[in-house]
């Protein structure tokens, strides 16, 4: 009640951002513009998600309740202002509300429950992050059929408005419930600009960052065009397919992170999910016209995409410790921001601008997944100390034999 339930309530709301492919067509029709002119709103939402998480880690660690309220305010008001922007046929308003404002709510809300869960589930941190982050995938399972139904009967503005009301109720309830264990004392460490630079210059962190970035870029390249891909191979039940792939996204988040509790080397999970993604993308590049192959490809990639998110906190914790995990996790999520700018834009470039078939896109994504897989093998197994200040920098230089 203090960790798992609030985590699911928050993530099941903010995860609806992945229903963009079901919303963008109706939004463009209501505004009276081509879909391509508002496509960047989704990229902005993911960019601001990653950047607000990157710089909001300390705020979340200090007061998780306040962070949850801020997330609710930004996310819900972003949805409501999107409704007004559609009514005014204001494309820039959609970018600012759905993209920028809602994106900040996404980033703070995504980060808020993760450390709290890891503190409550001390022996099963992978399970804990799986519970939290599976809610992000579960959201698409819940909202996909609702969006299809509500938009069809009442229009996209009503759909977005009701989603905002649901989010306000759920996320404020989560803010009221969420609480860290009573025996946990948050370290009072003041972070300076150079402390962030110490993390960003760390070789292990950079390798994890790039692996994470490539996995998200490839995943978003497919997720943002999921509806188009389905229609291209003759799948009419787009809402059902969206729920099925969302189920695999959720299962990957929960399953991969839970398995990571039983693996000594946490990056093993990344090796598995990246290898499986390489295989199915190569299959798609050869047999992309088959509906069965496309469904299999979407399901496996969605599972690996979700699993990459849920195992990231435990991977970072295994390398850099627990004390500053929210801040380090937030910095790693900046990869999500840049992937948000490159993922669906990569698909847009190959499919819409260059006019190439989807098989070419699948081949490019297979190559990117393979690069990420190679990077994963270069991540060291040992735990590292990142220097955060003068005192720790001095301590790290002491001869270990002197300490013993």
């Amino acid at each position: 009640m203090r960790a798992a339930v609030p985590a699911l309530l928050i993530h099941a709301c903010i995860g609806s951002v992945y229903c963009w492919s079901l919303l963008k067509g109706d939004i463009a029709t209501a505004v009276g513009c081509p879909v391509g002119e508002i496509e960047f709103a989704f990229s902005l939402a993911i960019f601001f998600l990653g950047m607000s998480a990157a710089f909001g880690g300390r705020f979340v660690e200090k007061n998780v309740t306040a962070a949850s309220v801020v997330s609710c305010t930004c996310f819900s008001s972003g949805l409501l202002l999107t409704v007004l922007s559609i009514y005014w046929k204001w494309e820039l308003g959609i970018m600012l509300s759905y993209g920028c404002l809602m994106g900040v709510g996404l980033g703070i809300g995504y980060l808020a429950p993760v450390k709290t869960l890891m503190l409550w589930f001390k022996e099963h941190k992978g399970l804990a992050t799986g519970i939290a982050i599976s809610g992000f995938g579960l959201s698409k399972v819940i909202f996909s059929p609702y969006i299809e139904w509500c938009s069809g009967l009442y229009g996209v503005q009503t759909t977005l408005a009701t989603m905002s009301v649901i989010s306000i109720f759920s996320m404020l309830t989560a803010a009221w419930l969420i609480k860290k264990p009573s025996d946990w004392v948050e370290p009072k460490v003041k972070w300076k600009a150079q402390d962030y630079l110490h993390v960003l210059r760390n070789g292990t962190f950079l390798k994890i960052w790039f692996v994470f970035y490539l996995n998200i870029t490839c995943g978003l390249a497919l997720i943002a065009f999921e509806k188009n891909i389905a229609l291209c191979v003759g799948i009419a039940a787009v809402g059902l397919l969206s729920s099925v792939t969302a189920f695999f996204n959720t299962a990957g988040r929960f399953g991969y992170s839970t398995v990571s509790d039983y693996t000594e080397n946490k990056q093993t999970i990344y090796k598995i999910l990246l290898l499986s993604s390489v295989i199915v993308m190569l299959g798609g590049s050869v047999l992309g016209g088959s509906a069965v192959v496309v469904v299999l490809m979407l399901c496996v990639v969605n599972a690996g995409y979700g699993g990459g998110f849920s195992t990231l906190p435990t991977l970072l914790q295994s390398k850099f410790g627990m004390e500053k995990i929210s801040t380090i996790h937030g910095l790693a999520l900046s990869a999500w921001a840049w992937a948000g700018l490159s993922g669906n834009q990569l698909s847009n470039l190959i499919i819409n601008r260059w006019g190439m078939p989807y098989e070419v896109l699948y081949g490019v994504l297979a190559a990117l997944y393979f690069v990420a897989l190679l990077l994963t093998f270069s991540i060291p197994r040992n735990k590292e100390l990142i220097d955060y200040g003068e005192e720790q920098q001095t301590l790290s230089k002491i001869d270990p034999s002197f300490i013993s």
Side-chain angles (χ1 to χ4, degrees):
M1 291 303 293
R2 291 300 189 184
V5 171
L8 288 171
L9 286 173
I10 292 172
H11 278 232
C13 291
I14 63 177
S16 61
V17 67
Y18 282 145
C19 296
W20 172 248
S21 66
L22 301 177
L23 292 167
K24 63 182 181 180
D26 292 332
I27 293 175
T29 301
V31 174
C33 69
V35 175
E37 291 187 13
I38 61 164
E39 190 75 63
F40 196 59
F42 178 74
S43 298
L44 277 176
I46 301 302
F47 177 78
F48 275 85
L49 185 164
M51 296 312 292
S52 60
F55 295 102
R58 289 298 300 144
F59 168 59
V60 171
E61 287 183 335
K62 287 180 180 179
N63 194 328
V64 69
T65 299
S68 301
V69 172
V70 168
S71 172
C72 173
T73 303
C74 294
F75 181 76
S76 301
S77 60
L79 286 174
L80 288 175
L81 289 173
T82 302
V83 174
L84 292 176
S85 299
I86 295 170
Y87 177 77
W88 292 326
K89 301 185 185 302
W90 187 28
E91 294 176 28
L92 178 59
I94 296 173
M95 301 294 173
L96 295 174
S97 53
Y98 192 95
C100 303
L101 182 59
M102 199 181 84
V104 173
L106 289 170
I108 300 299
Y110 185 90
L111 204 58
V114 174
K115 181 174 180 177
T116 303
L117 267 166
M118 293 174 75
L119 291 173
W120 280 98
F121 291 74
K122 294 177 182 178
E123 301 300 322
H124 300 281
K125 293 183 177 68
L127 172 65
T129 55
I131 291 172
I133 298 172
S134 65
F136 212 86
L138 183 65
S139 177
K140 193 179 174 185
V141 178
I142 298 169
F143 279 107
S144 290
Y146 175 75
I147 290 171
E148 291 279 286
W149 169 79
C150 191
S151 296
L153 289 179
Y154 306 106
V156 70
Q157 290 169 273
T158 302
T159 302
L160 291 171
T162 52
M163 288 171 65
S164 177
V165 173
I166 292 168
S167 299
I168 290 171
F169 175 78
S170 299
M171 295 175 76
L172 287 181
T173 302
W176 176 62
L177 288 173
I178 197 166
K179 188 178 180 181
K180 294 178 182 177
S182 57
D183 61 346
W184 173 259
V185 179
E186 197 65 48
K188 294 182 179 180
V189 179
K190 291 184 178 180
W191 274 58
K192 301 176 183 177
Q194 60 264 36
D195 298 327
Y196 289 97
L197 291 176
H198 285 311
V199 178
L200 295 173
R201 285 200 297 255
N202 181 273
T204 299
F205 176 84
L206 288 175
K207 289 176 182 178
I208 294 173
W209 192 97
F210 276 109
V211 169
F212 188 54
Y213 165 77
L214 289 171
N215 188 46
I216 305 168
T217 296
C218 296
L220 287 177
L222 286 185
I223 291 171
F225 277 70
E226 193 172 272
K227 184 175 182 178
N228 308 71
I229 292 170
L231 294 174
C232 186
V233 294
I235 300 174
V238 177
L240 177 61
L241 176 63
S242 183
S243 293
V244 170
T245 56
F247 170 79
F248 275 87
N249 192 314
T250 306
R253 292 169 188 265
F254 188 79
Y256 278 123
S257 60
T258 303
V259 172
S260 73
D261 281 331
Y262 303 96
T263 58
E264 182 181 351
N265 191 3
K266 302 302 179 185
Q267 57 260 40
T268 300
I269 299 298
Y270 270 91
K271 294 174 184 176
I272 295 171
L273 65 88
L274 289 170
L275 178 60
S276 62
S277 297
V278 170
I279 292 171
V280 294
M281 293 310 300
L282 286 174
S285 66
V286 177
L287 303 169
S290 167
V292 174
V293 172
V294 166
V295 171
L296 177 64
M297 180 184 68
L298 289 172
C299 290
V300 171
V301 167
N302 267 275
Y305 179 83
F309 278 102
S310 62
T311 54
L312 178 65
T314 53
L315 174 59
L316 292 170
Q317 186 272 330
S318 71
K319 303 301 178 187
F320 307 117
M322 188 68 195
E323 287 75 15
K324 302 171 183 67
I325 188 62
S326 289
T327 304
I328 297 174
H329 185 206
L331 288 171
L333 289 176
S334 64
W336 198 357
W338 298 106
L341 295 179
S342 58
N344 62 326
Q345 297 304 317
L346 174 63
S347 296
N348 190 48
L349 178 67
I350 294 174
I351 303 303
N352 295 334
R353 298 270 182 100
W354 293 347
M356 293 186 174
Y358 282 103
E359 286 80 0
V360 174
L361 173 64
Y362 304 152
V364 171
L365 296 182
L368 292 177
Y369 273 127
F370 184 70
V371 172
L373 179 63
L374 293 179
L375 262 177
T376 308
F377 280 95
S378 69
I379 297 174
R381 298 170 62 94
N382 58 307
K383 192 169 184 176
E384 296 188 14
L385 171 67
I386 297 180
D387 300 330
Y388 297 102
E390 248 179 60
E391 184 178 342
Q392 288 191 10
Q393 288 177 32
T394 305
L395 183 62
S396 66
K397 294 174 184 177
I398 296 176
D399 187 345
S401 61
F402 172 77
I403 297 175
S404 60

